[in-house]
Amino acid sequence: MWGGRFAASPDAAMQAINASIDVDRRLAAEDIAGSRAHAAMLARTGIVSDSDAQAIREGLLTVMSEIAAGTFPFSADLEDIHMNVEARLRDLIGEPAGRLHTARSRNDQVATDFRLWVRGQCDAAQDGLAVLMRALLGQAEAGADWPMPGFTHLQVAQPVTWGHHMLAYVEMFARDRARFADARARLNECPLGAAALAGTSFPIDRAMTAAELGFDRPCANSLDAVSARDFALEFLSTAAICATHLSRLAEEIVIWSSAQFGFVRLSDRWATGSSIMPQKKNPDAAELIRAKTGRIAGALVALLTVMKGLPLTYSKDMQEDKEQVFDAADTLLLALAAMAGMIADLTPDRTALRQAAGAGHATATDLADWLVRRLGLPFREAHHITGRLVAAAEAQGCALADLPDPVLRAAHPGITEEIREVLTVEASVASRQSHGGTAPDQVRAQIARWKEQL
Ligand code: ARG
């Protein structure tokens, strides 16, 4: 298609490094939609005849049905999806096919196709996130007031509730979802009509093609239109952040489902066995989600590196954008689906959570807070007194609430029986009524808000 000035055919290795059809055939639907919109515009503006445009638009539908049916003769000789489609169109309709490429270039064509594809993935990711958020919300609702240990440094910190912990992830995934929506809104400008780089001398109507393809407007600068790939980078960075959130949740599931923690039971649907150890039930899906995060973050770094030194406008380097984005998008959608299924089927062990919630003197802060509230001590002094009581409990091998009266009163004469109630995990979580805190009332209020939003 570009061979007019060439006397020799490309070397085999040249062809192998140059052809992208095995990757960019995934853009077929977008490529055909873009070409159909372009053909309609060429007719409306009088650049090609109505009958040629009609033949082109119908021929493209035939091409699309061949691709959908798996009968399309993809050819590496034709490099990429754009030339494969156009060559097949020529086979089907003859001479009018040659008019389709008037007032456009593969540079604006591929930029348009790819924006359309990434736009679809932004929508799919938002849908996948909504399913996951609903699964987390279901868990939060079931265990809104179930105490469990809250950790810092993976050391017991203060009791929290299962519902509160689930909602922490709902917040994260909601931000990911908003980031995909933002990325979508920013990418939704149409490069078509930028042609090779400088625009075109034909009287095209860029607003028409932009509207036809669901874009908000045409890109305002033709050089930027063909050379920008930050929409793909933004998709990848959003995907990488989202994958990182998935990975943290996956890690918690791995820890929680271990025999040592025993906080949750994985459904058989989301675990595997060992070929040698009959007792094993492994959290493979969680582990793989954790691992696949590396692939998605890697795709972001790969494309950042491809783009970082490129002068304006198009360089063939940019052909390497698609493989990374395709793989990252597939990986993210799969990870979202697996996580949503795993969470929906997860069985938290309420008793084990409750037992662990009280271990490790998790309510020591409640004692210190009581000394401040009831006895008016400065917090620092209350902290010190409580610390001495924790040491005493450690020495006696008992819980803070089980320390004998004389020991408590020796630490501070104002301490009364009331603190034994204060030291229960139920009292501890119920007391954390600050906005966004772990008290079941607060958790239920947040659940109600999320249910309305979703
Ligand atoms: N296959 C190419 C890509 O994906 C299409 C654009 C080719 N443009 C060019 N000037 N060779 O980037």
Side-chain angles (χ1 to χ4, degrees):
M1 291 210 181
W2 40 252
R5 60 157 294 178
F6 286 78
S9 317
D11 186 90
M14 170 63 200
Q15 200 184 62
I17 199 171
N18 196 38
S20 57
I21 186 62
D22 286 342
V23 174
D24 60 27
R25 56 199 287 174
R26 281 188 76 170
L27 295 177
E30 289 77 11
D31 193 67
I32 286 168
S35 288
R36 294 188 81 242
H38 185 65
M41 182 278 291
L42 291 177
R44 173 87 62 88
T45 51
I47 298 168
V48 304
S49 70
D50 284 343
S51 62
D52 281 352
Q54 193 55 26
I56 290 169
R57 283 172 55 81
E58 277 167 21
L60 285 167
L61 286 182
T62 309
V63 173
M64 191 63 232
S65 60
E66 290 178 354
I67 290 172
T71 59
F72 186 88
F74 285 107
S75 158
D77 291 350
L78 292 163
E79 279 186 42
D80 57 24
I81 185 63
H82 323 294
M83 299 212 292
N84 268 267
V85 168
E86 196 183 319
R88 182 67 188 141
L89 184 66
R90 177 177 287 273
D91 292 346
L92 291 168
I93 69 167
E95 195 260 356
R99 299 190 185 279
L100 171 60
H101 214 53
T102 314
R104 88 173 175 181
S105 148
R106 277 188 292 160
N107 296 349
D108 58 337
Q109 193 178 352
V110 73
T112 304
D113 295 1
F114 199 29
R115 277 193 199 230
L116 287 172
W117 195 87
V118 173
R119 188 175 77 185
Q121 297 301 302
C122 287
D123 294 343
Q126 287 183 70
D127 291 348
L129 279 161
V131 174
L132 173 56
M133 288 168 73
R134 275 189 215 102
L136 286 161
L137 212 48
Q139 286 287 355
E141 219 176 353
D145 59 353
W146 297 358
M148 70 177 279
F151 298 91
T152 59
H153 313 263
L154 196 54
Q155 308 287 321
V156 168
Q158 293 172 348
V160 297
T161 57
W162 173 257
H164 196 212
H165 200 109
M166 293 296 108
L167 287 182
Y169 282 101
V170 172
E171 296 285 339
M172 286 176 243
F173 292 125
R175 289 194 296 277
D176 291 334
R177 201 157 167 249
R179 270 185 280 271
F180 279 116
D182 289 349
R184 185 201 205 281
R186 224 178 332 275
L187 74 69
N188 206 29
E189 295 185 345
C190 187
L192 201 58
L197 75 164
T200 175
S201 56
F202 291 97
I204 60 171
D205 181 351
R206 292 194 57 205
M208 179 182 164
T209 41
E212 178 77 26
L213 295 168
F215 287 108
D216 296 330
R217 64 193 79 85
C219 297
N221 180 302
S222 64
L223 305 177
D224 176 51
V226 295
S227 64
R229 290 294 181 275
D230 53 291
F231 66 90
L233 290 171
E234 195 169 352
F235 174 80
L236 287 176
S237 60
T238 300
I241 294 170
C242 178
T244 302
H245 291 153
L246 286 169
S247 184
R248 294 182 75 171
L249 179 53
E251 167 67 2
E252 300 215 278
I253 291 172
V254 170
I255 295 175
W256 291 346
S257 62
S258 68
Q260 287 70 20
F261 270 75
F263 285 5
V264 298
R265 246 177 317 108
L266 282 176
S267 128
D268 286 356
R269 283 152 46 91
W270 298 102
T272 63
S274 156
S275 53
I276 175 168
M277 298 164 282
Q279 86 284 7
K280 292 274 272 187
K281 187 163 165 186
N282 295 325
D284 296 39
E287 295 167 86
L288 286 164
I289 289 169
R290 196 173 56 184
K292 284 176 189 297
T293 302
R295 253 163 88 165
I296 298 174
L300 169 62
V301 174
L303 187 56
L304 283 168
T305 311
V306 167
M307 296 306 296
K308 69 172 275 298
L310 296 186
L312 299 189
T313 54
Y314 179 85
S315 297
K316 197 62 175 262
D317 309 50
M318 286 154 67
Q319 179 165 283
E320 288 290 308
D321 55 2
K322 287 173 268 319
E323 203 165 353
Q324 300 296 339
V325 172
F326 291 167
D327 184 67
D330 291 346
T331 304
L332 183 72
L333 292 184
L334 179 58
L336 283 170
M339 184 58 90
M342 205 160 37
I343 292 292
D345 287 357
L346 198 67
T347 312
D349 185 333
R350 182 179 183 172
T351 314
L353 290 169
R354 168 67 182 79
Q355 226 157 40
H361 310 297
T363 56
T365 314
D366 297 274
L367 174 52
D369 287 351
W370 184 89
L371 293 171
V372 170
R373 218 170 30 242
R374 287 303 202 135
L375 306 184
L377 300 184
F379 182 78
R380 284 292 160 223
E381 193 185 334
H383 185 285
H384 190 72
I385 292 168
T386 308
R388 286 212 311 272
L389 285 171
V390 169
E394 297 264 271
Q396 303 207 6
C398 70
L400 272 176
D402 298 330
L403 280 170
D405 282 344
V407 177
L408 292 173
R409 267 189 266 290
H412 193 286
I415 294 179
T416 68
E417 274 301 301
E418 193 182 297
I419 66 111
R420 297 193 198 280
E421 168 58 25
V422 163
L423 285 168
T424 65
V425 294
E426 284 75 14
S428 172
V429 295
S431 73
R432 290 197 157 60
Q433 288 285 358
S434 51
H435 180 84
T438 207
D441 294 346
Q442 289 295 325
V443 172
R444 288 198 185 93
Q446 295 294 336
I447 290 171
R449 177 175 69 86
W450 278 118
K451 280 179 85 167
E452 202 176 295
Q453 280 198 28
L454 277 171

